[in-house]
């Protein structure tokens, strides 16, 4: 993504990293992330540990600056991925961006897998007619490239590109993606320019303790008594979060989508269980229906974010009329 600024054209890209990799990127007391910014001149921001990319456990790394600065930053991050991947004990990796600059290429043969996201609007730019551009990315870089479909970008407005192969090939592939975004005739910004995806405010969320609201409880895999059916070993408890929303009945079409497609996508992407009270089953004294979200903290928060996004979307933006078959 390119952004026009007073200082000239800037490029922005997002990378998705596991918690362990992000910890190495940040370093003790933020030392490494400060160092990589000083070395490259790019701005690097990492999402909070409680704000993973929707539908994943990965944290978001936003990189912004001149294309050369951003390109060097992504190179160093791929080098970090290779270093950690090849280490016998990843926790013992002592990574210094400044020192790594003098050893670029030493991990080129290490096989790795990484992910970046691009604005959904840039999907066609990456694909090209009949997929010719994405095939060119793969053939010229030597890396394998896969991009999620446009239907999967409905809620995040971002498409995820999974890049795999030797570190050197992944670096080249990412650089080519940056170049293509930079050369676009029109700037294609991210709908969400930050690293967090959780809604700041949600007027539909019930207060704590009301009709379930948001709670944390423990559930146990296996049988109902918390023990494995194959023996007497007790399973470790798994944290479960329950979020309850009260939503005016007239807004439910935004949640369900045509024939329930949007609700199914929210469930699929988040991994949470989402149930809606039936027609006529309202919160007492209102015409609000109850949406209950259940799952791990990450899954529940992701589903909550998606539901909130849909509630903030104007109903029937094109003025089309929904039939009874469109709304459950």
């Amino acid at each position: 993504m390119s952004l026009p600024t007073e200082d000239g054209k800037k490029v922005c890209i997002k990378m998705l990293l596991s918690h362990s990799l992000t910890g190495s990127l940040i370093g003790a007391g933020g030392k490494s992330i400060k160092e990589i910014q000083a070395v490259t001149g790019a701005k690097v921001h990492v999402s909070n540990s409680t704000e993973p990319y929707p539908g994943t456990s990965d944290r978001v790394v936003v990189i912004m600056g001149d294309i050369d600065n951003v390109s060097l930053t992504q190179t160093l991050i791929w080098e970090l991925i290779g270093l950690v991947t090849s280490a016998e004990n990843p926790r013992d990796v002592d990574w210094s961006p400044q020192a790594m600059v003098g050893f670029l290429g030493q991990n080129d043969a290490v096989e790795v897998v990484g992910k970046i996201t691009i604005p959904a609007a840039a999907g066609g730019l990456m694909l090209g007619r009949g997929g010719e551009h994405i095939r060119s990315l793969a053939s010229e870089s030597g890396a394998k490239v896969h991009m999620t479909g446009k239907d999967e970008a409905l809620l995040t407005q971002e498409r995820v590109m999974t890049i795999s192969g030797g570190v050197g090939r992944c670096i080249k592939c990412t650089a080519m993606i940056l170049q293509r975004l930079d050369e676009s005739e029109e700037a294609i910004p991210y709908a969400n320019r930050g690293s967090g995806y959780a809604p700041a405010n949600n007027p539909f969320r019930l207060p704590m303790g009301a009709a379930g609201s948001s709670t944390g409880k423990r559930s146990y895999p296996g049988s109902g008594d918390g023990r494995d059916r194959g023996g007497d070993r007790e399973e470790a408890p798994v944290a479960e979060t329950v979020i309850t929303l009260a939503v005016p009945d007239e807004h439910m079409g935004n949640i369900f989508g045509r024939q329930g497609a949007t609700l199914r996508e929210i469930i699929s992407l988040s991994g949470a269980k989402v149930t809606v009270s039936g027609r006529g089953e309202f919160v007492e004294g209102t015409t609000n229906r109850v949406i209950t979200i259940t799952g791990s903290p990450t899954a529940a928060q992701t589903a909550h974010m998606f539901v909130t996004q849909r509630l903030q979307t104007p109903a029937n933006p094109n003025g089309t009329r929904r039939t009874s078959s469109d709304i459950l």
Side-chain angles (χ1 to χ4, degrees):
M1 176 190 76
S2 296
L3 297 172
T5 68
E6 293 180 358
D7 300 325
K9 198 174 185 181
K10 300 292 184 182
V11 174
C12 180
I13 198 168
K14 298 182 182 183
M15 299 184 75
L16 307 183
L17 299 182
S18 66
H19 279 276
S20 59
L21 279 169
T22 306
S24 297
L25 173 64
I26 295 172
K31 178 183 177 182
S32 296
I33 196 168
K34 292 175 184 176
E35 189 175 313
I36 197 172
Q37 292 182 96
V39 169
T40 66
K43 292 182 179 179
V44 183
H45 181 74
V46 181
S47 64
N48 294 329
S49 59
T50 57
E51 295 181 331
Y53 189 76
T56 77
S57 59
D58 295 332
R59 293 171 70 177
V60 184
V61 180
V62 182
I63 310 166
M64 181 175 177
D66 297 335
I67 187 167
D68 291 341
N69 300 344
V70 174
S71 187
L72 178 56
T73 305
Q74 65 91 8
T75 295
L76 289 172
I77 291 176
W78 279 112
E79 292 282 1
L80 169 63
I81 296 172
L83 191 64
V84 171
T85 299
S86 61
E88 292 185 7
N89 188 347
R91 292 185 178 182
D92 292 338
V93 171
D94 184 16
W95 184 67
S96 165
Q98 180 68 61
M100 183 61 70
V101 171
F103 296 94
L104 295 180
Q106 69 174 4
N107 297 306
D108 277 1
V110 178
E111 294 288 319
V112 294
V113 179
K115 296 179 180 180
I116 67 172
T117 79
I118 62 171
L125 183 68
M126 288 298 120
L127 280 173
R129 186 181 298 275
E132 62 178 347
H133 289 167
I134 200 165
R135 286 195 298 270
S136 176
L137 282 174
S139 62
E140 291 184 32
S141 68
K144 293 181 180 179
V145 188
H146 175 266
M147 184 167 66
T148 54
K150 61 183 180 180
D151 291 342
E152 297 175 71
L154 175 64
L155 298 171
T156 62
Q157 289 302 300
E158 294 174 22
R159 296 177 75 165
V160 179
M161 301 185 73
T162 301
I163 305 170
S164 60
V167 168
R169 294 179 176 184
C170 293
I171 290 172
K172 183 176 181 179
C173 183
T174 307
M176 292 173 65
I177 292 170
L178 283 170
Q179 194 67 43
R180 183 164 290 278
L181 291 172
D182 184 55
E183 293 175 350
S184 173
E185 293 182 0
E186 295 183 6
I188 307 176
Y190 284 98
N192 174 6
R193 297 184 182 182
S195 61
Y197 292 79
N201 298 292
N202 185 355
F204 303 98
R205 189 162 179 168
L206 293 173
M208 290 294 293
S213 60
S214 178
T215 63
K217 60 183 180 179
R218 298 281 180 175
S219 64
Y220 294 78
S223 62
D225 62 1
R227 294 182 180 272
D228 187 275
R229 293 184 184 275
D232 294 331
R233 179 175 60 84
E234 188 171 343
E235 295 288 340
V238 178
E240 184 177 83
T241 294
V242 180
I243 299 173
T244 306
L245 310 175
V247 179
D249 190 46
E250 61 266 27
H251 293 321
M252 292 310 301
N254 276 14
I255 303 301
F256 285 115
R258 185 175 294 276
Q259 298 182 342
T262 300
L263 180 59
R264 288 194 296 272
E265 184 180 14
I266 290 172
I267 294 170
S268 176
L269 285 174
S270 68
K273 179 180 179 181
V274 183
T275 59
V276 181
S277 61
R279 286 183 174 178
E281 297 179 6
F282 302 133
V283 175
E284 186 176 356
T286 73
T287 57
N288 296 336
R289 292 169 70 176
V290 177
I291 298 177
T292 304
I293 302 169
T294 308
S296 68
T298 296
Q301 290 166 16
T302 300
H304 172 231
M305 179 201 69
F306 286 150
V307 168
T308 301
Q309 285 183 346
R310 294 303 300 165
L311 291 174
Q312 293 172 347
T313 301
N316 299 328
N318 297 322
T320 56
R321 180 180 179 184
R322 285 184 176 144
T323 64
S324 58
S325 64
D326 293 334
I327 302 176
L328 299 183

